[in-house]
Amino acid sequence: MLGVSIYVKKVSLQENIAAIKLAKKNKIPMLFFPTRHLPDFINNPELLQLISYGQEQNFEIGLEISKHAFDYQQLQKLNPTSIWLDNSFSVYEIVNIIDTFPGKIQILASDNDLNDVIEIFKLRSSKRIRAWYNCYPKPYTGMEQPEFLTRTLILQKYGINLTIFLSAISETTQAETECFPTIEDFRYLPLYLQLQWFKYFGINNFIVANKKINHQEIALLTKVGALAPTEFLFKISSLGFSDQTKTLLLNKTFFVDWTSNQYLVRLVESSNFSKNNDKIMTWNNRNLIGNHAALLVDNYLYGRYRGEIYFTKRKINIAEKTNYLANCTNFQVLIDLLKPPSKIMFIAEN
């Protein structure tokens, strides 16, 4: 499932309505409303208008809830599909809410004590109860990958359905998000790469936390969301890849070869490699060292290996038989996951 965040008072009403229409066009089923910045959100006319509009369009409505703002009777009037409880609630209070609120309930699994989260699911096992990982409002406070994986594997053993928030910033769009990614290392990682990493580890529910997102980004996230966990998609930047490289990669399907190892991720194209790429000449191949996450191709000098394309996982020396294609450092987080029989596709930059 994919959802988008709707920021009341942080984004204009017209922009929020446009975002909802964009989500509808791309068949996204969920609208998430952060409320921590709204002191009396229950009575906020703009929030009420947007929730009503979303419900008219048959969206699921999720509301972020803090303890100080929890009012059961008022929530009944809003009739959200789900409420997302922050870490201000005690175990007893959460159990009481589960017993009274009829909708879906999301428990914060990243900030609450892990044993408390598990205890809640043991006390009130239900498909209505789910867990979410926070996206952090303060920089440099996100989770480390090992911490995330350890916590996630434990929760998955209990059959707990998890939701992740996708958020990314750049030097030009720092004002476009209210938060930072669940995993600290992903702060500048494009959303579609984040989504694929999380899918690999069994996460299938995502909320886009960025304030603004365009049609191309939503369409790409939707496309990536439909892939299997062992299928990977890489977007080729118009600036970082030459025309020669694009010709070699685009409109083809590659598989990770079983001979890949700690140095190389060897790619086998679905059609016959040697026939397609047998005239690759030499370029960018003298006195070079291929860094971690470089993309290389063997040229005609390599005989039967000509046309083979591969990612590097460590620094290696490049001889005259191998051409340097591109620096793929931005893909490194996924390259480290590639194992046979992973399927890989490259698409052009929009």
Side-chain angles (χ1 to χ4, degrees):
M1 183 199 75
L2 186 63
V4 296
S5 297
I6 304 297
Y7 291 94
V8 179
K9 295 298 184 183
K10 298 285 186 176
V11 177
S12 72
L13 176 62
Q14 293 73 21
E15 288 176 313
N16 276 329
I17 290 176
I20 293 173
K21 290 180 178 179
L22 178 62
K24 183 72 173 180
K25 181 177 180 180
N26 286 277
K27 300 180 179 180
I28 292 175
M30 171 77 179
L31 302 178
F32 175 77
F33 290 85
T35 62
R36 71 184 69 168
H37 62 287
L38 297 172
D40 187 25
F41 76 90
I42 291 291
N43 298 309
N44 186 288
E46 191 170 313
L47 175 67
L48 297 178
Q49 180 180 349
L50 288 168
I51 289 177
S52 177
Y53 179 70
Q55 290 169 333
E56 290 172 2
Q57 300 299 315
N58 297 315
F59 282 97
E60 293 185 27
I61 302 296
L63 283 180
E64 178 189 31
I65 303 291
S66 295
K67 181 178 178 179
H68 68 84
F70 185 83
D71 185 319
Y72 180 71
Q73 291 183 338
Q74 293 293 334
L75 280 176
Q76 282 185 308
K77 295 179 182 178
L78 294 177
N79 192 30
T81 314
S82 59
I83 55 175
W84 302 58
L85 307 179
D86 66 13
N87 61 343
S88 61
F89 295 88
S90 68
V91 172
Y92 172 80
E93 290 166 334
I94 292 174
V95 170
N96 186 54
I97 292 172
I98 293 171
D99 291 341
T100 54
F101 181 75
K104 297 175 184 176
I105 298 170
Q106 292 272 4
I107 301 167
L108 186 57
S110 52
D111 291 31
N112 284 320
D113 184 274
L114 183 59
N115 291 324
D116 287 345
V117 176
I118 293 172
E119 182 66 19
I120 291 167
F121 278 88
K122 286 182 177 179
L123 290 171
R124 295 292 186 273
S125 177
S126 170
K127 291 183 179 179
R128 291 192 302 114
I129 311 172
R130 302 183 177 187
W132 61 297
Y133 283 111
N134 194 17
C135 48
Y136 297 91
K138 181 181 179 181
Y140 309 110
T141 59
M143 300 171 70
E144 295 290 334
Q145 289 187 33
E147 176 191 359
F148 168 85
L149 292 173
T150 298
R151 186 171 285 251
T152 296
L153 289 173
I154 292 172
L155 293 172
Q156 287 172 336
K157 286 181 180 179
Y158 286 89
I160 297 174
N161 191 307
L162 295 166
T163 298
I164 292 291
F165 279 74
L166 302 175
S167 177
I169 62 174
S170 69
E171 292 181 358
T172 58
T173 61
Q174 289 188 19
E176 302 304 320
T177 181
E178 284 291 302
C179 55
F180 299 91
T182 297
I183 294 181
E184 185 62 37
D185 287 347
F186 291 178
R187 180 188 304 218
Y188 300 102
L189 191 68
L191 300 180
Y192 85 100
L193 295 177
Q194 291 185 39
L195 191 150
Q196 292 179 85
W197 190 90
F198 286 120
K199 276 179 64 70
Y200 182 86
F201 292 105
I203 308 295
N204 294 303
N205 302 304
F206 306 93
I207 303 294
V208 178
N210 285 32
K211 284 184 186 177
K212 298 179 182 179
I213 190 165
N214 59 42
H215 173 71
Q216 287 77 17
E217 290 173 308
I218 285 290
L220 180 58
L221 289 175
T222 302
K223 181 175 183 177
V224 169
L227 298 176
T230 56
E231 295 179 328
F232 296 89
L233 187 149
F234 298 102
K235 186 167 63 173
I236 297 179
S237 168
S238 57
L239 298 177
F241 290 78
S242 67
D243 291 339
Q244 292 168 311
T245 302
K246 292 176 186 178
T247 300
L248 291 172
L249 301 180
L250 292 178
N251 304 314
K252 297 177 183 177
T253 300
F254 299 89
F255 294 89
V256 176
D257 190 76
W258 67 272
T259 58
S260 298
N261 55 32
Q262 61 183 315
Y263 291 94
L264 304 176
V265 177
R266 304 178 70 183
L267 305 183
V268 178
E269 206 231 315
S270 55
S271 58
N272 191 315
F273 238 139
S274 60
K275 289 183 179 179
N276 288 340
N277 299 333
D278 59 356
K279 294 182 180 179
I280 293 178
M281 305 308 289
T282 62
W283 78 84
N284 278 346
N285 63 347
R286 296 191 180 278
N287 301 319
L288 292 174
I289 297 178
N291 291 322
H292 186 180
L295 186 64
L296 309 175
V297 61
D298 292 332
N299 59 52
Y300 78 99
L301 294 175
Y302 232 133
R304 67 187 181 92
Y305 292 109
R306 65 188 183 275
E308 180 176 352
I309 297 174
Y310 44 94
F311 290 112
T312 60
K313 298 178 74 174
R314 295 187 179 185
K315 289 184 178 181
I316 65 171
N317 294 320
I318 299 176
E320 69 277 2
K321 299 178 182 180
T322 300
N323 296 346
Y324 176 88
L325 294 178
N327 179 351
C328 296
T329 304
N330 207 27
F331 301 156
Q332 180 177 327
V333 67
L334 296 187
I335 291 172
D336 292 339
L337 303 180
L338 297 177
K339 297 177 179 62
S342 295
K343 179 180 176 180
I344 298 172
M345 294 160 284
F346 296 90
I347 63 172
E349 187 87 28
N350 291 323

